[in-house]
Structure formats: structure tokens, C-alpha cells
Amino acid sequence: MTSTTRARTAEETALHHAQNAGRVGAGVFDARGLLTSLPGALRKLDPRHQIRNPVMFVVWAGSVLVTVFAIADPSTFTILIAAWLWFTVLFASLAEAVAEGRGKAQAESLRRTTRETVAIRLLEGGQREEVPGTSLRPGDRVLVEAGMLVPGDGDIVEGIATVDESAVTGESAPVIRESGGDRSAVTGGTTVLSDRVVVRITSKPGESFVDRMIALVEGASRQKTPNEVALTILLSTLTIIFLLAVVALQPMAGYSGSTQSVVVLTALLVCLIPTTIGALLSAIGIAGMDRLVQRNVLATSGKAVEAAGDVSTLLLDKTGTITFGNRAATAFIPAEGATGESLAAAARLASLADPTPEGRSIVELAEKEHPGIQADPAHGDAVPFTARTRMSGIDIGSRRVRKGATDAVRAWAREHRATLPEGITRVTDDIARRGGTPLVVVEDTGSGIVTHGVIQLSDVVKPGMRERFARLREMGIRTVMITGDNPLTAKAIASEAGVDDYLAEAKPEDKMALIHREQEGGRLVAMTGDGTNDAPALAASDVGVAMNTGTSAAKEAGNMVDLDSDPTKLIEIVAIGKQLLITRGALTTFSIANDLAKYFAILPAMFLAIHPQLGALNIMRLATPQSAILSAVIFNALIIVALIPLALRGVRYTPTTASGLLRRNLLVYGLGGVVAPFAGIWLIDLLVRLIPGIG
């Protein structure tokens, strides 16, 4: 697949997911969805579930208490108050059930991918045996041929194949998975379309990627985030304060000669405590994670989603993230005194045991340009590439052939009391300036170091990167590209991609050091990557987004997995994180602000009989004390239903300053929270006053 085709496919996939997200968001609150979620909402009336939410548990307890009074001494007023208190609890449960319902629908489509499979397990000695996929354990090696389902999560250790991942990612175009490099991971339930591969299983039955995904989108493993816990504590504290205030009100009412009924006091308490945000808090958190799933991002915790909203530094691995990652050998440039054939032969020899795509491309280019080079050696000890040495090669007797980064090879030659020719530095600098990656090929013949020349590897920056990084800059996020390339290559790629800074010749410990430096400054750090060497940094960062094309180690280390393997998806992740925080703050502001109108509705009504002058506070001109109290209780219940779509959709996020965000929040949701109840309670009172025994 060409880079142009890949770019077009990525854009079409992004558009497809955006359209799907729009359709889901638009239809989140239709009548059918409500009816489907109603049984789940009724089950949540169980006190064992309600007690997890202190605010709504108080409402539940008040509903039970008023119901007892309605049965013992029935009256129209008491029965209606009891009914609407139960509706308040039900609507709160319905908000959570609707949010969970979308996740369960997505989980059901994922569950269809977890069909029972038969795996071909490879035994020592080359024997094969057919076993159920559920019997596989980490470390087992299985053979997967064209047309077969991958029986479990794992890494390809032999071969290359095209894989259909549409069951998991929604992307219809097949992808290439191969041993070595950062595109070796395969997911259980996907289908191999061509060739055959050997997969080493990395997950236990029931703990696969799809299994975890199902549990997360269903909400079964969702835990409260630190901000959510803090807000719950605040709401609980406010509830206790209002509870004490209402309890203390009765002795004062008795002293003034206007003892209040338990029903009225309960109605007052329910209207004064922050029931709106208490009812919607869980739905907001579930909806935030659900919006990520709609965009093909799996978050392993709500904490990561919240942290994304406060990220100020983004670290990106270059290969496979900013660039397509399919670096390939494009030219052999012999050193002075060497020939193209000798360079190709040495480069091929140093790459025979290199399983990475780059290593295979070197072998292919050498055989294509020089078909007559010598055959494979009969014996030899391979020297694998490591992030620390940044070299690979082979030892055959007294011959030691090496290829690697310029400075690494120069240091290796210096250890053998040799230096690289000056012309090599000019060639590698020129390749690096043009955005390529130079590899120097040298050989220790036993009698001295021979420099054969330079291999040029080329990579391509993914389209649209500059524009996306500009958007991150508008959000106040600083982008840093991390690469093992030399500084010149890193500078060229960074300039082309439009990142703010770069870290060249980075080892795993360098990435960790950079993350710790950023975090020590009080900044939250996000990291995207796809390779095993990215795993420590992904684990150390506050938000670690692993690419689905990456290795199993990377996906295990991160707290998010991008199924589309689009590194710039972090723009959407950050926006969703900010949207989650803004939505929670906006509805908290609204919930506390709309208590003001309830004061004007209920408190004057309670004491109007003994203090007629309180009638001046009846600015809504409510008909009777009973209609005022009942109207406030009904509004308190209905406002929850009215705000469910906003809680699930989220408040729209636009890049702005903190002061601008606070100003908008106070004007829209603070002032709106004051005005809306006055209008709502007044309109409800117009209907309530028509009820016999109330008006």
C-alpha cells in the first residue's frame, strides 16, 4: 500500500468514525433509547446501588420516608410529593443507564468477534496439535494461515501477512503485520488474509485485548477518577450541611408556632441538596469514556481521560507515529576506495540476521542491485540491534561486520584504534539534512578496520501533521518528537512535521529522564508510541497512548490504545478530556445556582401562615404553599431529564484561556442556573394549581 493510499484510507476512516460519533450523539436521547434503558434504571433503585452515591441515597431515603407517610395518612399533596421524589431517583438512575446502554451496545458488537477458535499449537521438535483457543497460555506458539482467525493476542515471531482487523477497529482496509519492528502485534479475533505467520501468545484466556475492551465499554470496570471522588466528597459535605440545617429548622419552626411536617422538610432537603449534579455525575464519566470508544480509543481508566484534559506536554515517537515507520534502504553510497558491490555485500551480510523491516529492505536492495554477490555464510554469530548500541551485524571467524548510526559506528571504530574517513561524515550529514537516515557499514578484517560506505534509509512524514500540531499548540500543548536518529535527521523531520522540539539519539533512559523533567515542573505529560522500547516511557507518562499497530509490550504499558494507530488522535483525546472536565464543572455550577430559585419557592411557603410579610419574597406569584413546594420538587426531578443529553454529549470545547472559560461558565451555567428554575417552577405551578387539593 502506498503512502498516498494509506493517507487517503486514514482520512476516510477518520471521517467514518466522526460520522458514526455524530449519529450516536444525535440519537442518544430518543424514546426508544429511554425505553431500552428503563429496566436497567429500575434495577438501580436497589439501595445497595444507591448507597454508592451519597446525594441520591439521601433522596432515596427521603422517598421511602415520604411513601410511608403517604400510606399511613394519604393526601393528594403527600402522594404527589412521594411520587415525584421517586421520579427524581428514577431519572438519576436513568441517566446512568442510558450512558451505560450505549457502551453495552458497542460491547455486544465486540462480543461477536470472540468466537471460539481452533488453534494450531507448535510443539518442540516441530510437531503440531489442534487445541481450543481458550486453552492457550502466554508463551505458546501457534501457526496461523490464510483464512484463519488469530486465536489470541500475541506477537508475530515468524513471517509476514495481511490481516483484517475490521472486527476490532472498524477499518475495512487490511493491514500488514510482520515479525520484528513495531508492527508485530496481532489481536485475537482478527483474520489473516494471506500468507502464514507464527504467533507467540501474550495473553491469558479471558484477558485478551477484546475482553478488556468489552468490560471497559460496558462500564463494568469503571472506577471513579480522583476529580470525581473529590467532587463526590464536596457534594456529600454539602448534603450533610443542608441535612443539619433542615433538622435545625424544625425546633425554630416549632418555637415560632409553625411546626413543619416531615413531608415538607424532606421536600426542602431534596430541593436544596445538589441533586442535579449528584444524579448526572456518573453519567458524565461514563459518557466521557464512551466518546473515546466512538473514536476508536480504548482508555483503561477514567483517570487517564481526565489527565488528558490537563496535558501540557506531548512526547511523540517519530517512527510509525510522525512518520509512516516503513523506513527502507533506497541507496548504497560507497566510501572512497570502496565499490558498490563490496558495500552491498557487507551490508547484506550485516543484515542477514536482522529481522526488522529495515534489515530486510537492505538485503532486498543488495540482491536487486548486485545479484552476483556471495552466498550466505555457512556459520556466523549474529549481533542483534539494541537501543543502547544502535548497531547490528555478524561475526564470522575473525571478520566482524557492523552497520549502525554514524556516532555509534565511529565509537566502535575508535575502540579498535581506527577512525572513519572524513568523506563519510559529509555523506551522512547530507542524507540527514534531507530527512533520511544514514547507516554506516564497516568491517574489522582482523588486520584493520575497513569502511565500506553508507546505506541511505528513507521515511515519509504522514500528511497533515503540521496542521494538527498547530492545533495542539493552540490548546497550549508543547510537542516534542523523540527519535533514535542523529540530530540532523531529527531536525529535518521535526521541521517538516512542525513539532516544537525534538530529542535525538534517544535511548529508553533518555525518554524517561525527559518525562521526569517535565513532570517535576508540574506539567502533565502525554506520550504516544508503538515499540517495545517505548513501553517504559508510556508507563511513566500521565497519559500513555499506545498505537494498536505496536507491540504487546507497548499496549500493556500505556493507559490508552488507539485502534486507528493515528498519533494525532491525541488532539481528540485532549479535547474529550477537557470536555469531560468542563461538563462536570458546568453542571456543578448549574446545580448549585438553581437552588436559589427553590429558596424563593419553598421557604416563604413554609412560613407564610405566621409571617405574611414573607409574601413579598413570592416573586414568582405561586398559587399556594403546597403548589409552591410541589412545583419545586417536580422541577427538581424534570431538570435531571432535561440535562441528560448535555451530560452525555458534553459541553462543547473550544480552545480558550482559563479566565475566558471561567467567565463563560459563570455567565451561561451560573446565570442560567439561576434564571431557569424561576421560569420552570412558575410554569409548573400554572399546571399544579389546577389539581384539586393543591391549588
Side-chain angles (χ1 to χ4, degrees):
M1 186 184 294
T2 65
S3 61
T4 303
T5 304
R6 274 191 298 263
R8 185 169 61 250
T9 301
E11 291 173 1
E12 291 171 351
T13 303
L15 178 61
H16 168 74
H17 290 308
Q19 291 170 339
N20 281 346
R23 284 194 294 271
V24 172
V28 72
F29 201 62
D30 55 17
R32 183 178 179 183
L34 284 177
L35 290 174
T36 303
S37 303
L38 189 56
L42 292 172
R43 286 192 294 271
K44 291 179 183 294
L45 295 179
D46 187 329
R48 290 171 296 183
H49 178 83
Q50 293 295 323
I51 201 170
R52 301 174 191 170
N53 186 334
V55 176
M56 297 314 301
F57 180 71
V58 169
V59 181
W60 181 91
S63 304
V64 173
L65 183 62
V66 175
T67 301
V68 172
F69 278 91
I71 295 173
D73 185 16
S75 69
T76 303
F77 175 73
T78 306
I79 292 172
L80 287 175
I81 290 292
W84 280 101
L85 289 181
W86 280 115
F87 278 131
T88 304
V89 181
L90 179 63
F91 292 158
S93 301
L94 187 62
E96 186 175 355
V98 169
E100 290 178 350
R102 293 191 298 173
K104 289 177 180 178
Q106 292 168 330
E108 186 57 35
S109 66
L110 286 171
R111 193 172 278 111
R112 288 195 289 268
T113 69
T114 60
R115 291 176 289 172
E116 179 66 32
T117 57
V118 176
I120 302 176
R121 182 161 56 191
L122 301 179
L123 306 176
E124 293 184 10
Q127 295 91 353
R128 305 180 184 181
E129 65 172 350
E130 290 190 358
V131 297
T134 52
S135 68
L136 295 175
R137 294 293 182 271
D140 286 348
R141 291 159 56 93
V142 296
L143 176 66
V144 188
E145 298 179 318
M148 295 177 60
L149 288 175
V150 177
D153 293 356
D155 293 319
I156 296 177
V157 293
E158 292 180 23
I160 179 172
T162 55
V163 181
D164 176 10
E165 296 185 339
S166 59
V168 176
T169 67
E171 170 58 66
S172 58
V175 296
I176 295 177
R177 294 288 178 265
E178 55 190 335
S179 62
D182 297 336
R183 296 176 182 269
S184 60
V186 287
T187 305
T190 57
T191 305
V192 172
L193 300 179
S194 69
D195 304 288
R196 51 188 285 172
V197 290
V198 175
V199 177
R200 183 179 62 245
I201 299 298
T202 58
S203 65
K204 298 178 181 178
E207 298 179 7
S208 69
F209 182 70
V210 173
D211 290 323
R212 295 200 308 272
M213 204 170 168
I214 290 171
L216 287 164
V217 299
E218 282 186 324
S221 58
R222 193 187 86 88
Q223 295 180 337
K224 288 187 176 181
T225 64
N227 282 349
E228 199 173 347
V229 170
L231 184 55
T232 300
I233 294 173
L234 172 62
L235 298 180
S236 301
T237 302
L238 290 175
T239 300
I240 293 172
I241 291 172
F242 282 120
L243 178 61
L244 294 176
V246 170
V247 169
L249 192 63
Q250 184 70 315
M252 290 187 289
Y255 178 77
S256 62
S258 181
T259 303
Q260 301 297 317
S261 69
V262 174
V263 174
V264 171
L265 291 174
T266 303
L268 174 64
L269 175 62
V270 170
C271 288
L272 295 188
I273 64 177
T275 50
T276 306
I277 184 61
L280 299 173
L281 187 58
S282 180
I284 294 170
I286 294 172
M289 295 186 71
D290 181 64
R291 283 194 290 274
L292 278 180
V293 174
Q294 290 173 21
R295 288 158 179 80
N296 266 9
V297 177
L298 173 64
T300 58
S301 72
K303 181 181 179 181
V305 184
E306 280 188 353
D310 290 327
V311 161
S312 55
T313 303
L314 167 61
L315 311 183
L316 303 106
D317 180 50
K318 187 205 77 168
T319 305
T321 305
I322 292 177
T323 64
F324 280 114
N326 53 345
R327 292 188 304 177
T330 54
F332 291 127
I333 305 170
E336 185 177 352
T339 65
E341 184 173 358
S342 66
L343 169 59
R348 177 180 178 277
L349 200 61
S351 304
L352 287 174
D354 186 350
T356 65
E358 290 87 351
R360 286 194 289 268
S361 72
I362 293 171
V363 174
E364 292 170 1
L365 182 63
E367 293 175 347
K368 177 182 177 181
E369 292 190 354
H370 303 279
I373 57 180
Q374 64 182 15
D376 298 349
H379 58 85
D381 297 321
V383 179
F385 173 88
T386 67
R388 185 174 297 278
T389 64
R390 293 185 295 126
M391 290 194 309
S392 62
I394 192 169
D395 294 340
I396 306 172
S398 60
R399 293 181 63 193
R400 291 189 288 178
V401 186
R402 297 289 186 274
K403 74 174 193 299
T406 307
D407 61 326
V409 173
R410 182 181 287 114
W412 185 80
R414 193 180 299 120
E415 292 176 1
H416 295 78
R417 297 183 175 84
T419 58
L420 299 181
E422 292 184 4
I424 291 294
T425 302
R426 288 195 297 272
V427 170
T428 56
D429 288 351
D430 180 62
I431 293 173
R433 272 192 295 270
R434 289 185 278 112
T437 302
L439 298 179
V440 179
V441 181
V442 296
E443 179 179 349
D444 181 2
T445 62
S447 57
I449 300 295
V450 175
T451 303
H452 291 287
V454 180
I455 306 168
Q456 176 177 318
L457 301 178
S458 300
D459 202 352
V460 180
V461 174
K462 294 180 179 180
M465 298 299 290
R466 178 174 289 276
E467 292 76 12
R468 294 198 172 208
F469 288 140
R471 284 186 57 196
L472 285 169
R473 204 170 292 114
E474 290 177 2
M475 293 179 179
I477 298 174
R478 173 172 166 264
T479 53
V480 181
M481 182 186 77
I482 300 177
T483 177
D485 289 337
N486 63 70
L488 287 174
T489 301
K491 183 179 180 180
I493 296 293
S495 176
E496 183 180 354
V499 297
D500 297 316
D501 201 356
Y502 63 89
L503 177 65
E505 298 178 345
K507 303 180 184 68
E509 56 265 32
D510 296 328
K511 300 178 186 179
M512 296 287 289
L514 177 59
I515 289 173
H516 292 321
R517 283 199 303 272
E518 294 288 332
Q519 290 172 332
E520 286 171 0
R523 293 177 287 271
L524 293 186
V525 178
M527 165 83 184
T528 65
D530 56 3
T532 300
N533 63 337
D534 295 324
L538 287 169
S541 57
D542 300 286
V543 180
V545 184
M547 302 294 104
N548 190 45
T549 57
T551 62
S552 298
K555 290 193 283 188
E556 288 291 336
N559 48 27
M560 291 189 188
V561 177
D562 177 17
L563 302 181
D564 294 328
S565 299
D566 176 7
T568 58
K569 184 75 69 65
L570 196 76
I571 295 174
E572 296 178 63
I573 294 173
V574 169
I576 289 172
K578 290 183 180 295
Q579 187 182 42
L580 174 65
L581 297 174
I582 292 170
T583 302
R584 192 178 291 152
L587 291 181
T588 300
T589 302
F590 184 92
S591 179
I592 294 175
N594 70 22
D595 283 344
L596 182 62
K598 299 169 192 173
Y599 299 152
F600 281 91
I602 297 181
L603 289 176
M606 291 174 63
F607 299 102
L608 188 61
I610 60 171
H611 297 293
Q613 59 269 34
L614 288 176
L617 296 179
N618 185 17
I619 59 178
M620 290 178 277
R621 294 295 179 259
L622 304 179
T624 65
Q626 286 187 326
S627 73
I629 295 170
L630 182 58
S631 297
V633 171
I634 293 174
F635 175 84
N636 196 57
L638 293 180
I639 196 63
I640 295 173
V641 180
L643 291 175
I644 289 177
L646 181 61
L648 299 183
R649 186 179 62 250
V651 175
R652 184 177 179 182
Y653 166 71
T654 53
T656 184
T657 61
S659 59
L661 183 62
L662 177 61
R663 186 165 52 250
R664 187 185 72 173
N665 193 32
L666 291 176
L667 286 175
V668 176
Y669 297 98
L671 185 59
V674 172
V675 173
F678 279 97
I681 292 174
W682 177 74
L683 289 172
I684 293 171
D685 182 74
L686 294 179
L687 299 175
V688 167
R689 66 178 62 181
L690 301 177
I691 302 174
I694 300 296

